[in-house]
């Protein structure tokens, strides 16, 4: 096995082009488990943690945030919690403090597990993955086009994730996860919601309840049309229930050791209703303050 | 390959490291610091917790090469000679140690918590220690030990 440690981003891209089989390494919280347990013996590891700038985030010219691949969950929570609240909530549920001190959203994307906690809020918040290759330069992949199958993503073998882009929240965002205990668990299933008041649009993400993380588009369209965007009226219980039903319908879960398909569908409906209630309550409070 | 790193303030140049090797293996088997324990090698138990550039991490999940040029502080680096760190002292005084296997990881993790949050709530203590498993104590004594360290004014060290 080789250990490649590029000192610049250009070197990293060149290395990945030359050796598409080299396994990129950020926090190592997925990769090292596989190596320790002998589940994977890559020909080379491509450590990206020495690449300068990868662990920084910035406000881009278009108002969005550009978060470097090396930004850990711990830093995302501490530094971006107020602007990316849905993602930060999800990050707070990842593993343990030790895992959050190393693990990254880019690594979560690289692993592309249907159970990855960052995926539902990335989908709900219309995040975009910035991927780059030496041969073809930069490519922007919307989160909704990134996940292709169980642990399969749109990344080409010669591509690396450089950053993800997301707009600062313009409305309430919530994430909810069902696990068998409070800490250190993979999601049995999860759900994220984002209200986008300016466009009167709703974003959703369903996790661990289909071969890939996915949006619940019918639920989004239904809710965008039914929600009282003036914030005047309380949430109609029938609207919330219907939203839950439609969200559950978007799921295509399987029975496995962590839960049954039926349970997952039920839990998605409950989480969709609950996160909507929290989000809409926040929204009304804000609307009342501004009135 | 060779890995250069600083461990508990001492520069080490470690030779013959396998490219897929973990920092934990380097510390235990090559630098001769068996304080950080090896149990699960998958990030689940926290018994291998060490500081890497001031952040507690599972040493079993850090590739040795990633520690090149960086600073590691292990449980062995917390005491000042024979003078134990207040968190170590509190674990002993409260009887928070039974077999002791989980203790180094728990102490590093608690040490980090108290250096950032001098007066944590019980919920904060439990959250900070959520990644450290103990098969013996039932955790109550461990949490009491952290509270004792707080009461004695354990702070940044
Ligand atoms: C004890 C434990 C608990 C966990 N709990 C959770 C949890 O609750 N929720 C959750 O979602 N996950 C969890 N995980 C999984 C893991 O922590 C996350 O998937 C994390 O986001 C991975 O990030 P990383 O930086 O450590 O990735 P790495 O392990 O470094 O990489 C992960 C994958 O992404 C690829 N990759 C890394 N960087 C790039 C890049 N720049 N471009 C392209 N590909 C890249 C790697 O080659 C690899 O395939 C847990 C892991 C452990 C060990
Ligand atoms: S040995 Fe590293 S977490 Fe268990
Ligand atoms: S004292 Fe034995 S594992 Fe904690």
């Amino acid at each position: 096995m080789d250990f490649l440690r590029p000192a610049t981003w250009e070197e990293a891209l060149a290395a990945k082009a030359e050796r598409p089989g080299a396994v990129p390494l950020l926090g190592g919280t997925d990769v090292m488990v596989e190596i320790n347990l002998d589940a994977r013996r890559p020909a080379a590891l491509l450590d990206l943690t020495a690449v300068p700038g990868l662990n920084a985030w910035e406000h881009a010219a278009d108002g969005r945030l550009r978060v470097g691949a090396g930004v850990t969950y711990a830093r995302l929570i501490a530094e971006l919690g107020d602007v990316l609240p849905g993602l930060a909530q999800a990050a707070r549920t990842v593993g343990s403090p030790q895992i959050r001190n190393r693990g990254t959203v880019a690594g979560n994307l690289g692993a592309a597990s249907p159970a990855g906690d960052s995926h539902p809020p990335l989908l709900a918040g219309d995040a975009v993955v910035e991927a780059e290759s030496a041969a073809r330069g930069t490519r922007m992949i919307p989160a909704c086009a990134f996940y292709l199958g169980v642990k399969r993503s749109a990344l080409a073998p010669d591509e690396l994730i450089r950053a993800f882009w997301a707009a600062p929240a313009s409305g309430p965002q919530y994430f909810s996860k069902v696990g068998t205990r409070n800490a250190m668990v993979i999601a049995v299933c999860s759900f994220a919601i984002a209200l986008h008041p300016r466009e009167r649009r709703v974003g959703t993400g369903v996790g661990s309840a289909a071969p890939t993380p996915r949006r619940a588009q019918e639920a989004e369209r239904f809710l965008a049309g039914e929600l009282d965007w003036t914030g005047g009226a309380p949430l109609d219980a029938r609207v919330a229930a219907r939203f839950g039903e439609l969200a559950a319908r978007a799921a295509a879960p399987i029975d496995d050791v962590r839960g049954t398909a039926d349970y997952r569908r039920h839990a998605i409906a409950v989480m969709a209703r609950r996160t909507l209630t929290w989000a809409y309550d926040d929204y009304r409070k804000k609307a009342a303050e501004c009135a | 390959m060779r890995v250069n790193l600083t461990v508990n303030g001492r520069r080490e140049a470690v030779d013959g490291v396998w490219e897929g090797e973990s920092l934990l293996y380097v510390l235990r088997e090559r630098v001769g610091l068996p304080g950080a324990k090896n149990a699960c090698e998958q990030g689940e138990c926290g018994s291998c917790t060490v500081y890497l550039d001031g952040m507690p991490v599972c040493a079993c999940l850090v590739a040795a090469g990633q520690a090149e040029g960086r600073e590691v502080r292990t449980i062995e680096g917390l005491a000042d000679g024979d003078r134990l760190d207040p968190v170590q002292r509190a674990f002993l005084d409260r009887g928070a140690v039974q077999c002791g296997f989980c203790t180094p990881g728990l102490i590093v993790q608690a040490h980090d918590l108290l250096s950032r949050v001098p007066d944590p709530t019980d919920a904060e203590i439990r959250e900070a220690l959520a990644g450290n498993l103990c098969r013996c104590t039932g955790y109550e004594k461990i949490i009491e030990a952290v509270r004792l360290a707080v009461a004695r004014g354990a702070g940044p060290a």
Side-chain angles (χ1 to χ4, degrees), chain B residues 72-96:
Chain B
V72 175
R73 193 176 180 198
T74 68
I75 184 73
E76 287 94 342
L78 291 196
D80 179 8
D82 283 342
R83 248 192 52 230
L84 293 185
D85 175 86
V87 181
Q88 291 175 309
R89 188 80 259 160
F91 266 66
L92 278 181
D93 293 349
R94 246 322 155 261

Side-chain angles (χ1 to χ4, degrees), chain A residues 154-167:
Chain A
L155 276 189
D158 63 344
E159 269 178 334
L160 292 173
I161 299 170
R162 186 167 195 176
F164 72 86
W165 294 63

Side-chain angles (χ1 to χ4, degrees), chain A residues 9 16 22-34 40 48 54 69 73 93-96 99 102-112 115-118 155 159-162 177 184-187, chain B residues 42-44 61 66:
Chain A
W9 179 248
K16 191 68 175 135
V23 171
L25 187 59
L26 284 170
T29 59
D30 279 312
V31 172
M32 286 305 287
V33 172
E34 293 180 336
R40 199 173 192 183
L48 299 174
L54 218 54
Y73 289 116
T93 76
V94 173
S96 61
I99 301 293
R102 297 281 300 166
T104 62
V105 170
N108 216 218
L109 284 163
D117 287 318
S118 52
L155 276 189
E159 269 178 334
L160 292 173
I161 299 170
R162 186 167 195 176
K177 165 175 171 181
M184 291 289 277
V185 285
I186 311 179
Chain B
Q42 45 184 317
E44 298 279 349
L61 299 185
Q66 294 186 296

Side-chain angles (χ1 to χ4, degrees), chain A residues 175-188:
Chain A
F175 172 78
S176 175
K177 165 175 171 181
V178 174
T180 43
R181 56 177 278 226
N182 274 343
M184 291 289 277
V185 285
I186 311 179
V188 173

Side-chain angles (χ1 to χ4, degrees), chain A residues 26 36 47 92 98 101-102, chain B residues 41 49 56 60 66 127 132:
Chain A
L26 284 170
N36 289 343
D47 177 27
R92 278 187 55 101
Q98 292 95 318
N101 282 343
R102 297 281 300 166
Chain B
E41 296 197 291
T49 304
C60 70
Q66 294 186 296
E127 190 175 7
N132 293 74

